[in-house]
Amino acid sequence: LLIIAQDILVDHASYPNDRICRNSHAFRPLGLGYANLGAMLMSLGYPYDSDKGRAVAGAVTAIMTAEAYAASAELSSRLGSFPDFPRNRTSMLAVMRKHRQAVEDIQKFDSGCPLIETARQAWDEAVALGELYGYRNAQATVLAPTGTIGFLMDCDTTGVEPDIALVKY
């Protein structure tokens, strides 16, 4: 749902200058991210700087990114790919396959992470859909600093950062 909403905004947003506007329409970059990752790890009892914490964070990131690109490919099947996709098809699909392969690296941190198989399946689907339809968006996710919006959302932690304090006012 958020990928669809963000894609709609590409055509209805205002941009600071013509160059940024042209680039945004040519590549249709989006910025899906997450907040409260640190709080989730704490609630699971995983230290932020631990192998288990890295494995869960890696798997959540892999699933989020794969699902975002799968949604982008589904949009592409109906609305067409981003204008520069045909020129970038080979390299973009190679990058998507590298993302899929990187899921296997999560096991180096924690071979028992229960999300690894879900991440594999999500990336298999994202790659397969991209091969069929291309992608509507050259970029779908971002790991941006989300402090302000995270606080407005009443998150305990923002973006990918650990908790800034155990007591907040």
Side-chain angles (χ1 to χ4, degrees):
L1 184 61
L2 291 173
I3 290 298
I4 293 168
Q6 286 185 27
D7 187 69
I8 290 168
L9 288 176
V10 170
D11 293 324
H12 298 286
S14 60
Y15 297 95
N17 60 48
D18 288 339
R19 183 174 175 222
I20 293 171
C21 182
R22 282 191 308 274
N23 194 55
S24 292
H25 285 95
F27 293 98
R28 306 186 68 78
L30 306 181
L32 183 66
Y34 46 53
N36 246 1
L37 177 66
M40 182 189 75
L41 294 175
M42 286 189 294
S43 71
L44 293 170
Y46 301 155
Y48 195 84
D49 187 22
S50 68
D51 287 344
K52 192 165 265 308
R54 282 185 282 278
V56 170
V60 166
T61 303
I63 293 165
M64 176 184 66
T65 305
E67 292 295 339
Y69 277 111
S72 180
E74 288 178 25
L75 281 173
S76 183
S77 76
R78 292 171 174 81
L79 302 173
S81 61
F82 63 91
D84 280 357
F85 179 76
R87 187 168 58 97
N88 292 284
R89 179 184 178 84
T90 301
S91 58
M92 184 157 184
L93 288 173
V95 168
M96 295 296 111
R97 288 183 199 104
K98 285 182 182 182
H99 279 296
R100 166 55 182 89
Q101 186 56 43
V103 170
E104 302 310 319
D105 292 339
I106 297 169
Q107 291 185 356
K108 294 175 186 172
F109 296 114
D110 178 18
S111 61
C113 179
L115 300 173
I116 292 173
E117 186 54 36
T118 301
R120 281 187 191 113
Q121 291 170 5
W123 269 110
D124 287 345
E125 179 183 22
V127 170
L129 288 171
E131 288 171 345
L132 282 174
Y133 306 117
Y135 297 99
R136 179 82 172 150
N137 315 94
Q139 175 184 312
T141 59
V142 65
L143 297 181
T146 57
T148 304
I149 191 70
F151 290 130
L152 291 172
M153 293 167 54
D154 198 27
C155 294
D156 295 312
T157 61
T158 60
V160 298
E161 301 91 0
D163 202 355
I164 59 171
L166 295 179
V167 177
K168 298 177 189 73
Y169 300 92

